[in-house]
Amino acid sequence: EIVLTQSPGTLSLSPGERVTLSCRASQSVSSSYLAWYQQKPGQAPRLLIYGTSSRATAIPDRFSGSGSGTDFTLTISRLEPEDFAVYYCQHYGDSVMYTFGQGTKLEIK
Amino acid sequence: QVQLQESGPGLVKPSQTLSLTCTVSGGSITSGDYYWNWIRQPPGKGLEWIGYIYYSGTTYYNPSLKSRVTISVDTSKNQFSLKLSSVTAADTAVYYCAREDSSAFFFDYWGQGTLVTVSS
């Protein structure tokens, strides 16, 4: 089973800053199967990015994804107040198995 | 716009069976384009995929839960359901239902989630 490790666990930043979140896979994975979600307290996760770099419907262009092999990143070019949340990466693997990273919490500094 | 809504008991006793239903509106569950998933999240923790069902009844489960999980579909009601047997406190979580495009491998629509607590 592929394990996704996200880093850092928590980030304290200010609105307007640029941030890059990391998701590392325990072995090389297909970039077609890597997605990112945003989750705010008391809400369900919201799809942000799929296929490593494609933005989901209605996701602002300040969100971007990149990566390949074992290393993937989610970048927010300029943090808005509503972007402070927990972010999860997710992968679809062999034998029909979906795994999530443990999450990175983005908090206001 | 498709909407998903979970329903079921919020409290289950240890060793009993957890049962939840997801009602889909704004789209047909029999569309061949989607898989219908259950995902859970223990309080303060991360997300765990439980399994999915296709409208035909084909299912796939997380191997770590497979012995205790059953997902079924009722196309006449546009619903799918989750049963998790022999629950313990470790099964306390918010349970989400979610839609997945059958060619996409990610979850694009989610229910709001329902908290199920396992306690005597």
Side-chain angles (χ1 to χ4, degrees):
Chain A
E1 177 185 329
I2 292 173
V3 175
L4 300 178
T5 302
Q6 293 186 241
S7 60
T10 302
L11 267 174
S12 298
L13 294 166
S14 301
E17 290 194 80
R18 177 187 179 91
V19 62
T20 297
L21 310 182
S22 172
C23 176
R24 178 162 290 177
S26 56
Q27 61 190 81
S28 184
V29 300
S30 169
S31 59
S32 298
Y33 301 151
L34 198 288
W36 290 89
Y37 301 83
Q38 176 194 68
Q39 186 178 34
K40 297 180 180 179
Q43 296 184 16
R46 177 175 72 143
L47 176 68
L48 295 176
I49 300 286
Y50 62 92
T52 295
S53 58
S54 297
R55 273 188 301 276
T57 303
I59 300 303
D61 60 7
R62 64 179 182 272
F63 291 91
S64 63
S66 65
S68 64
T70 60
D71 293 309
F72 298 86
T73 60
L74 173 70
T75 298
I76 309 173
S77 60
R78 186 178 173 84
L79 282 168
E80 297 288 342
E82 62 267 27
D83 298 337
F84 291 91
V86 180
Y87 292 83
Y88 294 95
C89 57
Q90 173 251 315
H91 175 258
Y92 167 81
D94 292 341
S95 304
V96 189
M97 182 62 190
Y98 303 77
T99 54
F100 292 88
Q102 82 280 18
T104 290
K105 182 179 181 180
L106 208 48
E107 61 180 26
I108 298 178
K109 192 172 184 180
Chain B
Q1 168 128 341
V2 66
Q3 292 185 315
L4 296 87
Q5 178 69 58
E6 305 88 351
S7 59
L11 181 64
V12 180
K13 288 182 168 51
S15 80
Q16 293 191 343
T17 296
L18 178 160
S19 296
L20 295 174
T21 295
C22 182
T23 300
V24 179
S25 58
S28 174
I29 204 168
T30 59
S31 166
D33 296 330
Y34 303 109
Y35 299 139
W36 304 95
N37 291 261
W38 287 99
I39 296 162
R40 69 180 183 177
Q41 184 173 37
K45 296 188 178 180
L47 298 158
E48 181 181 34
W49 176 71
I50 299 171
Y52 77 62
I53 191 164
Y54 190 54
Y55 79 96
S56 64
T58 298
T59 54
Y60 281 94
Y61 301 134
N62 186 323
S64 69
L65 298 169
K66 187 175 183 178
S67 64
R68 299 193 292 129
V69 172
T70 302
I71 298 177
S72 59
V73 64
D74 186 337
T75 56
S76 67
K77 295 182 179 179
N78 225 34
Q79 295 176 334
F80 62 106
S81 298
L82 168 70
K83 291 189 185 298
L84 182 65
S85 64
S86 304
V87 297
T88 69
D91 295 310
T92 293
V94 175
Y95 285 77
Y96 296 100
C97 55
R99 189 187 83 168
E100 174 198 354
D101 186 305
S102 60
S103 62
F105 313 107
F106 54 80
F107 310 106
D108 57 358
Y109 285 94
W110 298 63
Q112 65 185 28
T114 187
L115 174 62
V116 179
T117 301
V118 178
S119 175
S120 56

